[in-house]
Amino acid sequence: MALTIRCRHYTRNFESPRYLLPNTYIILRLDGRSFTRFTASHNFQKPNDPRALNLMNASATETLKAIPEIPIAYGISDEFSFLLPRECSLFDRREEKLVSTVVSTFTGWYVLLWSRYFTGEGGNLRSPPSFDCRAVCYPSVGNVRDYFAWRQVDAHVNNLYNTAFWALVNRGEVGRREAEAELRGTFAADKNELLFSRFGINYNNEPEMYRKGSVVYRDYRIPEDEDAAATATQEQKERAQETKETTAVPKVKSKRQIEKETKHARRARIVTEYVDIIGDEFWVKRPWLLGSEN
């Protein structure tokens, strides 16, 4: 027993854990690894496969259920970004623990739920999916909002290009290199015009899940809450924002308070929506997502 204890202390001296900066928001961004090959081998539909996107959303939902500290996640294509509030103390903010827990939980559910979304002949999982994950700290609400806005803008830009590209390839019978050359240097208006004039596709009528991405979050609201949030004054919004942006001292929560909030989070509904998260409305109606009291 004594030897075991000595060995444990000795071997742990070689560990070099990285503790993420306190009093900052943490975004854990998960990406599919070698997914071009994975999607090809499993015959994903182009430009969007609703089965695959719904599987990603379901895996993110289960990840939120397993990790109640995560209030919101945003996903596009083969990636998902999970937010931890700046007062989060999960695993003492050890980077490797946070990253490995999120990526393993998500991947496990992705495999487990596969057969629910890919059914029928040829729908079997023929090779293991792989995801990587990174952690980035953001000091302010504004930084977090900018991050999610960037990802949603990227979703629109990439999806518009892919919609035009695959329309040329699948319906216009144009080779992939020729399609790339035709779209090179074009603007959004050019792609919209190409889709409508040549293929009768109004891009604005494409499913919102494709154009806006997926927002998976904990919803504590009841109808009365939504009405109250909708009538909040601009002064109240600005005061709340100023408080969040200028608070310098980390909030220290007792063990009892953390347990209470965890139970509360587990009872919350987890919903998936395809909505705008660039503007203020989404965040104003859901202040708890950025660390406000529920």
Side-chain angles (χ1 to χ4, degrees):
M1 178 64 71
L3 177 61
T4 300
I5 294 174
R6 286 200 302 273
C7 286
R8 182 173 62 203
H9 289 306
Y10 163 71
T11 55
R12 281 189 174 179
N13 288 332
F14 293 92
E15 295 183 13
S16 55
R18 178 176 180 238
Y19 296 93
L20 296 176
L21 194 66
N23 205 27
T24 59
Y25 295 91
I26 301 170
I27 289 181
L28 299 158
R29 181 177 168 188
L30 175 147
D31 282 291
R33 182 175 178 273
S34 301
F35 249 58
T36 299
R37 183 168 63 247
F38 180 83
T39 57
S41 65
H42 290 87
N43 300 314
F44 278 28
Q45 301 168 20
K46 301 294 185 179
N48 295 288
D49 192 324
R51 302 169 301 172
L53 293 174
N54 285 322
L55 174 57
M56 290 287 291
N57 294 344
S59 302
T61 295
E62 295 299 334
T63 301
L64 262 69
K65 289 180 181 178
I67 309 173
E69 289 81 2
I70 300 174
I72 184 172
Y74 175 74
I76 55 177
S77 185
D78 63 341
E79 75 168 59
F80 246 99
S81 298
F82 299 88
L83 176 68
L84 289 172
R86 65 183 183 183
E87 63 268 22
C88 177
S89 59
L90 181 64
F91 301 131
D92 295 324
R93 300 173 73 92
R94 284 182 61 174
E95 180 180 22
E96 69 275 13
K97 294 279 287 185
L98 294 171
V99 166
S100 61
T101 298
V102 166
V103 75
S104 61
T105 301
F106 185 95
T107 306
W109 278 106
Y110 190 93
V111 173
L112 189 63
L113 296 173
W114 176 272
S115 60
R116 183 180 300 179
Y117 295 92
F118 287 81
T119 58
E121 186 177 354
N124 295 332
L125 185 61
R126 293 185 287 276
S127 61
S130 178
F131 296 90
D132 60 46
C133 187
R134 75 204 74 172
V136 181
C137 295
Y138 292 93
S140 72
V141 170
N143 297 142
V144 172
R145 288 278 306 272
D146 287 344
Y147 173 85
F148 283 117
W150 165 52
R151 297 318 304 137
Q152 189 160 64
V153 169
D154 211 40
H156 163 69
V157 171
N158 290 337
N159 189 65
L160 178 57
Y161 178 90
N162 289 334
T163 302
F165 176 86
W166 288 105
L168 287 169
V169 173
N170 293 334
R171 298 176 60 173
E173 299 182 350
V174 174
R176 296 190 182 187
R177 289 186 179 179
E178 290 78 5
E180 290 177 358
E182 185 167 346
L183 293 174
R184 190 175 298 122
T186 58
F187 297 99
D190 303 319
K191 297 181 182 70
N192 276 294
E193 177 61 26
L194 180 151
L195 286 169
F196 189 75
S197 62
R198 294 175 58 175
F199 305 106
I201 298 175
N202 184 336
Y203 181 75
N204 291 326
N205 292 335
E206 291 292 291
E208 290 187 322
M209 179 170 61
Y210 303 163
R211 294 185 290 114
K212 296 181 178 179
S214 303
V215 187
V216 181
Y217 67 93
R218 298 184 192 279
D219 195 356
Y220 297 90
R221 294 173 303 169
I222 56 177
E224 300 89 273
D225 292 334
E226 295 186 32
D227 294 339
T231 57
T233 66
Q234 185 63 32
E235 183 181 354
Q236 289 171 324
K237 299 174 191 175
E238 292 175 355
R239 189 183 306 119
Q241 181 74 4
E242 182 180 356
T243 299
K244 292 174 185 173
E245 297 286 4
T246 58
T247 300
V249 181
K251 183 187 296 184
V252 178
K253 297 181 179 180
S254 66
K255 182 178 179 181
R256 182 176 180 181
Q257 186 178 6
I258 293 174
E259 291 175 350
K260 181 179 178 181
E261 291 181 359
T262 299
K263 289 181 181 179
H264 190 35
R266 291 190 185 280
R267 288 196 298 267
R269 293 184 304 139
I270 298 178
V271 299
T272 301
E273 296 182 350
Y274 320 110
V275 294
D276 176 81
I277 56 173
I278 299 174
D280 294 331
E281 183 178 0
F282 175 83
W283 303 101
V284 168
K285 287 186 176 182
R286 304 161 183 83
W288 62 88
L289 296 178
L290 296 176
S292 296
E293 296 297 330
N294 300 317

